[in-house]
């Protein structure tokens, strides 16, 4: 049985990590969040220690190191995006391997920095890239691999996930903390595209705003027009009033259906990490490079390679 700590226990994604720790047969020894809305712990791991000050959490974690049976093995990081780098480094320096939510960090330079801390501590960082474990994604990857080598697929990716006014008031609405909509809600899609279609060859941005972003990505095996939004007004007419989220991926005229099968992907990710098959810093680098360019690139005018939704935005 491995001992875990969790940083960011009050966040939306934290319960999936708590359940993954429990479902893989391990122990959540201690959790930390500066927000005390963490009652979910009672239904998953009620005996876990909990702190709302990072200093007390860190001191307790150091005390656990005194006995081999209590020493922490892993730190799970579910904190706001802008704190990931500091919390990952702290976990490594505690002598633990670290499992972090996406986006791992905002820039490739911070991946380089974490590689240094890995070497200094002898510990490793793993990123949750759960779409790589989804059956539909794995089948599509096999299909692409089996296609003639000169085949390039035409892909249209549309993801609209409505967010209320609270979003702008939270850290997620602050580009200094969440790094923008393309990073915050899109990074796992960009990782998925790389995982399926290979290396990125071209990256063009056609729209960049607080609530939506769009562009064109060309990979070794695909041409991708993408649109991401948190604005409910962008939902298709036949979806408005019925659902708050619209996800559509069209691949050369065929729809990729992967709405189901998400429930246990964090647990699957944990099992792979614990078995020595987790995705590390090198695996995360490609999607971090992609979103870093998207954030810094100038906006190009709409054209034949832009998503159909872009023309309406630029009128």
């Amino acid at each position: 049985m491995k001992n875990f700590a969790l940083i960011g226990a009050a966040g939306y994604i934290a319960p999936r990590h708590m359940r993954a720790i429990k479902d893989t047969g391990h122990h959540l020894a201690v959790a930390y969040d500066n927000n005390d809305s963490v009652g979910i712990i009672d239904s998953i791991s009620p005996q876990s220690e909990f702190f709302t000050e990072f200093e007390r959490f860190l001191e307790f974690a150091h005390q656990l190191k005194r006995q081999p049976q209590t020493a922490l093995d892993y730190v799970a990081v579910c904190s706001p995006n802008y704190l990931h780098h500091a919390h990952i480094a702290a976990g490594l320096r505690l002598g633990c391997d670290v499992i972090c939510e996406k986006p791992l960090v905002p820039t490739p330079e911070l991946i380089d920095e974490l590689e240094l801390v890995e070497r200094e501590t002898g510990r490793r960082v793993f990123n949750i890239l759960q779409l790589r474990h989804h059956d539909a994604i794995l089948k599509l990857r096999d299909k692409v691999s089996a296609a003639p080598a000169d085949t390039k697929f035409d892909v249209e990716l549309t993801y609209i996930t409505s967010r209320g006014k609270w979003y702008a008031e939270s850290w997620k609405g602050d580009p200094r903390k969440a790094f923008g909509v393309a990073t915050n809600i899109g990074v796992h899609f960009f990782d998925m595209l790389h995982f399926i279609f290979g290396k990125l060859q071209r990256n063009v941005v056609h729209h960049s705003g607080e609530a939506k972003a769009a562009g064109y990505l060309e990979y070794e095996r695909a041409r991708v027009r993408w649109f991401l939004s948190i604005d409910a007004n962008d939902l298709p007419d036949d979806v408005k009033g019925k659902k708050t989220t619209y996800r559509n991926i069209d691949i050369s005229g065929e729809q990729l259906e992967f709405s189901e099968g998400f429930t246990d992907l964090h647990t699957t990710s944990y099992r792979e990490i614990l078995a020595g098959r987790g995705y590390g810093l090198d695996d995360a680098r490609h999607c971090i490079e992609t979103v870093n360019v998207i954030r810094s690139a100038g906006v190009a005018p709409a054209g034949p390679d832009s998503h159909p939704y872009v023309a309406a935005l630029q009128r």
Side-chain angles (χ1 to χ4, degrees):
M1 180 181 287
K2 302 294 184 182
N3 292 317
F4 281 78
L6 190 148
I7 297 174
Y12 163 78
I13 206 67
R16 297 190 192 181
H17 287 258
M18 295 179 197
R19 291 190 183 99
I21 293 166
K22 181 179 180 180
D23 290 348
T24 53
H26 300 290
H27 173 54
L28 178 59
V30 56
Y32 157 74
D33 201 295
N34 60 8
N35 188 314
D36 61 8
S37 297
V38 293
I40 188 68
I41 294 177
D42 287 345
S43 64
I44 302 173
S45 184
Q47 301 307 311
S48 301
E49 299 290 339
F50 175 71
F51 296 96
T52 57
E53 294 91 14
F54 189 73
E55 295 82 358
R56 293 178 63 216
F57 160 79
L58 203 60
E59 174 58 22
F60 181 78
H62 279 291
Q63 291 175 14
L64 292 177
K65 292 171 67 175
R66 292 175 179 159
Q67 300 294 330
Q69 66 269 28
T70 63
L72 295 173
D73 300 290
Y74 288 89
V75 173
V77 175
C78 306
S79 51
N81 299 352
Y82 73 107
L83 294 173
H84 284 181
H85 175 259
H87 287 156
I88 292 168
L92 293 172
R93 291 181 176 123
L94 277 171
C96 302
D97 289 336
V98 177
I99 301 171
C100 185
E101 263 301 330
K102 59 202 171 296
L104 188 71
V105 287
T107 67
E109 289 75 18
L110 286 177
I111 292 182
D112 296 339
E113 174 64 24
L114 289 176
E115 286 180 340
L116 290 176
V117 184
E118 278 190 331
R119 289 198 289 271
E120 290 167 356
T121 60
R123 311 311 301 177
R124 287 202 62 194
V125 181
F126 300 97
N127 200 191
I128 295 290
L129 301 172
Q130 76 268 34
L131 289 183
R132 295 189 181 204
H133 300 300
H134 196 291
D135 285 343
I137 303 302
L138 292 170
K139 288 176 182 176
L140 176 58
R141 190 177 191 232
D142 290 342
K143 178 181 176 179
V144 171
S145 297
D150 60 350
T151 302
K152 273 208 178 186
F153 295 82
D154 290 305
V155 179
E156 188 174 289
L157 166 63
T158 309
Y159 181 54
I160 303 163
T161 179
S162 308
R163 294 290 185 265
K165 294 180 180 179
W166 68 269
Y167 191 92
E169 292 297 319
S170 74
W171 67 265
K172 295 183 179 183
D174 186 340
R176 298 168 302 173
K177 296 180 177 181
F179 311 117
V181 67
T183 300
N184 197 42
I185 71 168
V187 69
H188 60 301
F189 287 116
F190 299 132
D191 176 71
M192 176 196 75
L193 292 168
H194 160 59
F195 181 66
I196 297 170
F197 298 112
K199 291 182 180 178
L200 184 61
Q201 299 173 327
R202 190 170 173 228
N203 189 343
V204 180
V205 176
H206 292 124
H207 182 82
S208 181
E210 292 183 4
K212 63 199 78 177
Y216 173 79
L217 298 166
E218 187 161 345
Y219 294 87
E220 292 175 294
R221 304 298 305 276
R223 294 175 287 264
V224 182
R225 301 185 296 172
W226 61 271
F227 179 84
L228 303 169
S229 174
I230 58 170
D231 184 353
N233 293 315
D234 292 322
L235 291 168
D237 290 339
D238 60 345
V239 174
K240 287 179 181 176
K242 300 175 183 176
K243 296 180 180 179
T244 58
T245 297
Y246 175 74
R247 182 192 294 112
N248 183 65
I249 301 180
D250 182 288
I251 301 153
S252 296
E254 294 186 17
Q255 302 296 311
L256 174 63
E257 176 51 54
F258 66 116
S259 297
E260 304 299 326
F262 278 94
T263 307
D264 299 321
L265 290 183
H266 274 73
T267 298
T268 301
S269 297
Y270 267 67
R271 286 198 179 103
E272 291 297 299
I273 291 167
L274 290 159
R277 297 187 295 267
Y279 292 115
L281 295 178
D282 284 344
D283 299 294
R285 183 179 292 275
H286 193 280
C287 63
I288 297 304
E289 290 174 341
T290 302
V291 295
N292 188 52
V293 170
I294 289 170
R295 285 197 309 273
S296 58
V299 175
D305 60 354
S306 58
H307 191 281
Y309 285 24
V310 172
L313 297 175
Q314 295 191 344
R315 283 174 190 161

